[in-house]
Amino acid sequence: MSTLEIKNLHVSVETDDGAKEILRGVDLTIKSGEVHAIMGPNGSGKSTLAYSIAGHPKYTVTDGEVLLDGENILELTVDERARAGLFLAMQYPVEVPGVSVANFLRTAKTAIDGEAPKLRTWVKDVNSALERVTLDPTFAQRSVNEGFSGGEKKRHEIAQLELLNPKFAVLDETDSGLDIDALRVVSEGVNRYTSQGDRGLLLITHYTRILQYIQPDYVHVFVAGKLAESGGRELAEQLESEGYDKYVKAAAAL
Amino acid sequence: MTATVENVANALELEHVESHLHPEPSYDLAAHPVPSGLEEIWRFTPLKRLRGLFDGAASDAHLSWENDLPEGVTLGELSTEEAKALSVSAPFDRLGALAVANAGGAVLLDIPANAELDRPVRLTMRGDAADTLVWGHVVIRVGAHAKATVLVDHVGSATYDAFTQVVVGDGAKLDLVSLNDWEDDAVHAEQINLRAGRDSEVRVFEFSLGGDLVRTSLNVDYAGPGGSVDLLGVYFADAGQHIEHRQFVDHTAPKTRSNVEYKGALQGQDAHTVWIGNVLIRKVAEGIETFEQNDNLVLTDGAKADSVPNLEIETGDIAGAGHASTTGRFDDQHLFYLQSRGIEETEARRLVVHGFFNDIIRRIGVEDLQERLISAIEDELATVVGRLES
């Protein structure tokens, strides 16, 4: 049983006009076995939340903490956070020329587990993880994300999620830009991960579409750098019919 | 006889192109005055570190050669006059002309027409001491429709100036790999002039890792249409090292192709690399394709990469022409992505550098050499980025 607690998180980025605050006090607690969906309009700071948890150097935490089982992970490096059990599936996975998927996955798995995976089973594990997200095993020999289509990049992220099997996963708009087949493949991968029962998921999305495939236990509306409202699945349905208008107006009125 | 007629016709057809980027080729020393260092082709080279090569002092010293020759391949000799008569450009600079004038004849590697070699030709050239002055003149002749890989490995130490002529026959396929893996105190200047036959396919790889100063100038032209040439390079400069690679691709025939890709990493105080990529597309060279690219990865402060692509175009009918040059530090996005999967920063940097070079190295197709290069890069990286704990 693990807990990821985000407490009063304030984050800013450097701009030409000086520091700009993007996150303005985010509070959220996720426990193992829970699926949380964060929904919000463009520019609300959803991705900033994802990258800040992962430790991207572009974002400066000015206040608050993120605790993983009581330990403040904001003091850890990016790789230490991953080894502590966090995973970020990125909206725009990065191309790394010349580094093969096979080499990348083996290096990551070795880092996360603290020991090299058993050769006998590892190749099989990689191939079946790729196949489950309908990527041909030849992808293992290609450079990481290089020349992959948008959908292939997202499916590669989900293959990594399954192979690395973190305590908590943050999916940053993994559904955006996917056609319905790819969306189904990705969702099935995410559901295999959560169905273990002891994993936590933070699903960041702009659209309600993916929630037809992945059932959230909690839905949060994210506007202007903080949570505007939290509820159950019914909140997603309400957003589907009413949109974000009333939350955006309320935030603007403050 | 036919070949001579064609060459004359070719020569008549080619108009003189005046340019400061590429001097007129000549074997005559008087045509290449001792440089002041301000000339376009010398301005990046620290002339003082050439250890008096420009004095042109006589020397009988040689590098010691170890050869592994597949069946049918021979090593012989050519007189200087015979070598000069070969159908390939004369030296473009004084160092090239000095090597010819002082070497007293050329070593000839002959790969006969139609030969298909079952393994690479391997020539290992070893120098015994940094202050030994050696003049080299080498001819590599690949007959029509032959298929060969030639590995030239420079090791040990010397003050070495060489002129290498490569004549690639019509329809031949040649992979020429030149590895500059010298000790830290070597000085190596070399001019490699290559003429690609009609419909030939040539790949030249240059790998420069060791030496105090390495300066190569690789000049390519085409004996007829349809020739395809890839010039591929990898270099890694440490503190104080000067590594300079110059290419001049002279598109002297229509429907020819050239592709230049050099990748370098630099680390340490006063590590200096120079890449100059010149491409000339002559009036006669219609429908050609060319691209040149140089990427530099600067790993520490105090290192300097010069990178200059030049494209001169004399015809309006080109299938494709372009160039690109990048010089930068590690890409933060690469490192973030790898680290976000648990990979430590040191290891992430190693992966990125390996990936950067692997793109070229994996194309050699000679496994033991690929492994040697990867492990050499590993050793270079260990000094700054840190060694992998495994």
Side-chain angles (χ1 to χ4, degrees), chain A residues 5-21:
Chain A
E5 288 172 276
I6 301 165
K7 290 183 165 175
N8 189 33
L9 189 65
H10 289 255
V11 171
S12 62
V13 290
E14 275 308 313
T15 69
D16 292 341
D17 306 324
K20 185 183 176 208
E21 188 168 59

Side-chain angles (χ1 to χ4, degrees), chain A residues 58 98 120 122 174 185 218 246 248:
Chain A
K58 186 178 150 192
R120 218 170 336 118
W122 176 243
T174 299
V185 167
Y218 303 92
K246 82 172 184 196
V248 175

Side-chain angles (χ1 to χ4, degrees), chain A residues 51 55-56 78-79 82-83 87-88 90 94-95 97-99 103-104 107-108 111-112 144-145 157 160, chain B residues 263 331-345 347 351-352 354-356 358-359 362:
Chain A
Y51 280 97
H56 195 286
V78 175
D79 50 296
R83 292 199 297 276
F87 180 89
L88 170 63
M90 297 186 200
V94 180
E95 301 189 2
V99 178
N103 189 11
F104 164 64
T107 308
I112 299 278
V144 171
N145 294 324
E157 296 289 281
Q160 293 172 47
Chain B
K263 291 189 169 211
D331 186 329
D332 286 343
Q333 295 301 327
H334 288 162
L335 294 181
F336 176 72
Y337 189 72
L338 297 172
Q339 285 186 263
S340 77
R341 299 314 186 235
I343 300 167
E344 278 182 42
E345 186 178 347
E347 175 70 358
L351 276 176
V352 169
H354 274 277
F356 178 73
N358 203 21
D359 185 36
R362 66 183 171 194

Side-chain angles (χ1 to χ4, degrees), chain B residues 3 48 102 156 168 186 223 299 339:
Chain B
K48 281 180 187 159
N102 290 330
V168 183
L299 302 176
Q339 285 186 263

